[in-house]
Amino acid sequence: MMALPGGRHLDSIPLPGQRPHLMQVDSVQRWMEDLKLMTECECMCVLQAKPISLEEDAQGDLILAGGPGPGDPLQLLLKRGWVISTELRRIGQKLAQDRWARVHSMSVRLTCHARSMVSEYSAVSRNSSQEMSQIEKLLMEKCSELSAVTERCLQVENEHVLKSMKACVSETLSTLGEHFGQLLELALTREVQALVRKIDASDNIYTTESTTGNLFSLTQEGAPLCRIIAKEGGVVALFKICRQDTLRCLYPQALRTLASICCVEEGVHQLEKVDGVLCLADILTDDSHSEATRAEAAAVVAQVTSPHLPFTQHLSSFLESMEEIVTALVKLCQEASSGEVFLLASAALANITFFDTMACEMLLQLNAIRVLLEACSDKQRVDTPYTRDQIVTILANMSVLEQCASDIIQENGVQLIMGMLSEKPRSGTPAEVAACERVQQKAAVTLARLSRDPDVAREAVRLSCMSRLIELCRSPSERNSSDAVLVACLAALRRLAGVCPEGLQDSDFQQLVQPRLVDSFLLCSNMEESFV
């Protein structure tokens, strides 16, 4: 069961105010910025007597990022790096298709971009290290070798010779990619080190804010950069901010950056080394902090307790502060002024229920069921399937406790779970459809677990839950053809039928309850819908 949709688990949830990805710019602006680079590349091709390809897909291969601003080495590395990575991938594709003319022309263009990246970065950065200079030299040598060997391939007509040369080109391309990756990692590491040093040395709040913002932008470029930031002291520097009262206005930004970094193992390890969990607990339990700050702290907790990341399960320091963190998160859910804040707090609670079974007992003692079910009727706090996914995850994990059933009945929880079986996407986006499937699946799982209690089972039958479960089993469109939802609904239906068999028609009993579960599953998963 998923507690949060998507890669970083929080990133795929459309939240207001998120900073756009670095590479997302207006297409016309991108084209205008590309003109200079594209014409320079063409000029160099002509000067080297390399004809520009007239093939139909030639223009499609000239996808370039906009030119970096003056004196901005990070932008330069990211944009040039994206261009070269794209070219390497496309050369590999053309090579697999034996399109030698395209392979050669793209190899020449790749050399141009590599030379531009090296020269431009040298112009804006500090003195290069000996290691970087050596890799730059190896990179340019391989670029020249690739251009030369692909040019020779154009003159060869013998297929056997071309086959052996293709292996040589492939090996050269692979080595070139390795040198490029090493060079880019060294350069990015150097720039990250500069940013971290700047945060550590800064006594100006505006400089710290700007530098932290740059660090956050880098985390959005993917896991490799998050690893570099963690290894180079980014986590330590950010927690240093979060421990200074004079920088309280920067806490949300620093915590948001930490949540991104902790999607990688190195980030979580660094967080534990600097007693990050204790710092998060202090922030969450301190009511003098703004709601935004506590919400961002909840986001970090959600990230470091994610059940989808195996390395988070060994966060031993979390257990020491778990009770006060859970208490603070329940309070944040109860007092949340917006859907975004409630989502972050409930996501953290949902992940914690996977992290340790004691959390479910704590939630029972804190009357969390009442808090969560009351929130379901508040559209300001619970207005998306993503949020309902968190709530039903918590209920599903708590429902293994026997005493949970009475609390559910007391708060009219069965009716709310029944409503979750009818969760439908509004926009039809893949992420929202997947969230709705998870809500339906977990609602059925919760119902099956709670129906061990006869009172819950009778209440579910009274609310026509069996009819809805049968509909989900028999109608693929109702469950978006999800096998996971089907299995959960069959299990819940069988549990209810064991308590109240009179609620089923004979055909439903014979097809959905009496056979082995796998036979009922195969029957329903192959069922054609009737439109009569």
Side-chain angles (χ1 to χ4, degrees):
M1 293 188 291
M2 294 181 66
L4 278 171
R8 184 207 157 208
H9 308 293
L10 292 175
D11 289 342
S12 61
I13 303 174
L15 301 178
Q18 282 188 324
R19 180 169 178 161
H21 190 279
L22 186 62
M23 301 304 297
Q24 293 176 345
V25 294
D26 178 73
S27 56
V28 176
Q29 178 189 346
R30 167 81 69 80
W31 173 75
M32 293 178 70
E33 291 175 345
D34 287 348
L35 282 179
K36 179 175 178 291
L37 289 173
M38 292 166 68
T39 51
E40 279 182 354
C41 241
E42 293 181 3
C43 289
M44 294 186 75
C45 287
V46 173
L47 289 172
Q48 295 180 32
K50 312 297 182 188
I52 299 171
S53 173
L54 296 177
E55 294 188 34
E56 291 180 2
D57 63 342
Q59 288 301 313
D61 288 326
L62 281 171
I63 299 180
L64 304 175
D72 190 348
L74 271 173
Q75 290 276 351
L76 165 68
L77 290 170
L78 292 172
K79 292 184 177 182
R80 282 290 187 188
W82 178 79
V83 170
I84 294 174
S85 298
T86 301
E87 291 288 1
L88 284 168
R89 176 174 54 83
R90 294 193 170 195
I91 291 174
Q93 291 172 349
K94 302 304 177 189
L95 181 63
Q97 299 167 2
D98 294 329
R99 299 178 63 180
W100 292 104
R102 294 295 294 125
V103 169
H104 176 59
S105 63
M106 294 170 73
S107 298
V108 174
R109 187 162 63 244
L110 175 66
T111 303
C112 296
H113 288 308
R115 186 180 294 115
S116 295
M117 186 183 81
V118 170
S119 62
E120 289 172 8
Y121 182 65
S122 298
V124 298
S125 66
R126 295 154 295 282
N127 295 329
S128 296
S129 66
Q130 186 176 356
E131 186 181 9
M132 281 188 66
S133 298
Q134 183 63 26
I135 296 178
E136 287 173 3
K137 182 181 177 182
L138 292 172
L139 174 64
M140 296 316 303
E141 286 176 355
K142 282 296 173 183
C143 284
S144 299
E145 183 181 330
L146 182 66
S147 297
V149 72
T150 54
E151 184 175 20
R152 288 199 301 272
C153 290
L154 291 175
Q155 314 303 322
V156 176
E157 296 182 359
N158 187 302
E159 289 187 8
H160 294 292
V161 176
L162 266 179
K163 189 174 182 180
S164 63
M165 294 185 75
K166 181 176 181 179
C168 177
V169 172
S170 181
E171 183 180 348
T172 303
L173 192 63
S174 177
T175 306
L176 192 157
E178 289 176 9
H179 290 327
F180 167 68
Q182 291 169 356
L183 179 62
L184 189 60
E185 183 175 357
L186 276 175
L188 287 171
T189 298
R190 187 177 179 182
E191 296 306 318
V192 168
Q193 288 171 343
L195 285 177
V196 172
R197 283 196 301 269
K198 197 172 181 180
I199 292 175
D200 283 335
S202 175
D203 56 1
N204 183 302
I205 192 170
Y206 300 107
T207 301
T208 306
E209 180 181 19
S210 173
T211 310
T212 306
N214 290 338
L215 212 55
F216 175 74
S217 296
L218 285 181
T219 65
Q220 305 308 292
E221 295 297 322
L225 265 165
C226 289
R227 291 189 184 94
I228 292 174
I229 293 169
K231 288 178 180 178
E232 299 306 324
V235 173
V236 178
L238 291 166
F239 270 113
K240 182 179 176 183
I241 291 174
C242 293
R243 288 187 167 105
Q244 296 183 55
D245 280 342
T246 56
L247 298 178
R248 279 195 169 206
C249 61
L250 301 185
Y251 283 14
Q253 186 182 53
L255 290 165
R256 193 176 306 121
T257 308
L258 281 166
S260 296
I261 298 172
C262 287
C263 71
V264 297
E265 186 172 2
E266 294 82 354
V268 176
H269 288 166
Q270 289 296 316
L271 177 142
E272 190 160 28
K273 281 184 180 179
V274 297
D275 290 329
V277 172
L278 185 61
C279 180
L280 293 172
D282 289 341
I283 291 172
L284 283 167
T285 54
D286 187 348
D287 290 339
S288 67
H289 285 295
S290 67
E291 182 184 69
T293 297
R294 286 179 285 140
E296 294 295 348
V300 182
V301 172
Q303 187 62 65
V304 301
T305 55
S306 170
H308 312 291
L309 304 176
F311 48 83
T312 62
Q313 300 304 311
H314 306 292
L315 197 64
S316 57
S317 62
F318 185 82
L319 296 176
E320 299 171 10
S321 304
M322 186 168 70
E323 185 172 1
E324 56 185 335
I325 288 176
V326 168
T327 303
L329 289 171
V330 171
K331 183 179 180 182
L332 188 57
C333 284
Q334 190 170 20
E335 299 175 351
S337 63
S338 68
E340 181 180 350
V341 172
F342 186 91
L343 173 60
L344 294 172
S346 59
L349 285 174
N351 285 354
I352 291 172
T353 60
F354 286 108
F355 189 83
D356 193 272
T357 52
M358 286 192 304
C360 294
E361 296 175 3
M362 292 178 188
L363 288 171
L364 267 180
Q365 295 170 4
L366 293 167
N367 293 320
I369 290 177
R370 178 179 56 79
V371 172
L372 295 171
L373 295 181
E374 282 181 356
C376 287
S377 59
D378 182 359
K379 296 299 181 184
Q380 189 174 354
R381 286 186 288 170
V382 181
D383 59 347
T384 69
Y386 304 112
T387 311
R388 282 185 282 274
D389 182 19
Q390 312 314 315
I391 292 173
V392 74
T393 297
I394 297 168
L395 294 177
N397 287 341
M398 290 182 68
S399 62
V400 298
L401 302 175
E402 289 185 9
Q403 54 268 47
C404 178
S406 59
D407 286 7
I408 291 282
I409 292 177
Q410 186 177 343
E411 300 296 334
N412 295 321
V414 178
Q415 187 169 356
L416 280 166
I417 294 169
M418 169 72 175
M420 289 178 178
L421 289 172
S422 301
E423 188 74 31
K424 295 286 185 183
R426 297 177 190 171
S427 65
T429 61
E432 189 173 1
V433 169
C436 290
E437 289 177 18
R438 292 195 300 274
V439 170
Q440 287 183 329
Q441 178 200 4
K442 293 171 189 176
V445 168
T446 306
L447 194 59
R449 290 175 177 175
L450 291 172
S451 294
R452 297 189 307 267
D453 187 306
D455 292 337
V456 174
R458 282 190 286 270
E459 177 68 5
V461 172
R462 186 184 71 80
L463 293 169
S464 302
C465 280
M466 293 179 79
S467 300
R468 178 56 184 162
L469 290 169
I470 292 169
E471 184 180 20
L472 285 165
C473 290
R474 293 193 176 278
S475 177
S477 64
E478 287 296 312
R479 61 176 190 273
N480 195 40
S481 300
S482 168
D483 289 344
V485 175
L486 173 57
V487 171
C489 289
L490 284 170
L493 184 63
R494 287 163 181 246
R495 181 61 63 84
L496 289 174
V499 179
C500 302
E502 64 276 7
L504 283 174
Q505 296 181 4
D506 288 343
S507 60
D508 294 326
F509 181 80
Q510 292 169 6
Q511 293 179 350
L512 304 179
V513 176
Q514 191 175 44
R516 295 182 307 161
L517 181 63
V518 66
D519 293 330
S520 295
F521 170 80
L522 291 172
L523 173 70
C524 294
S525 60
N526 295 321
M527 193 171 287
E528 294 289 337
E529 287 194 72
S530 172
F531 296 95
V532 177

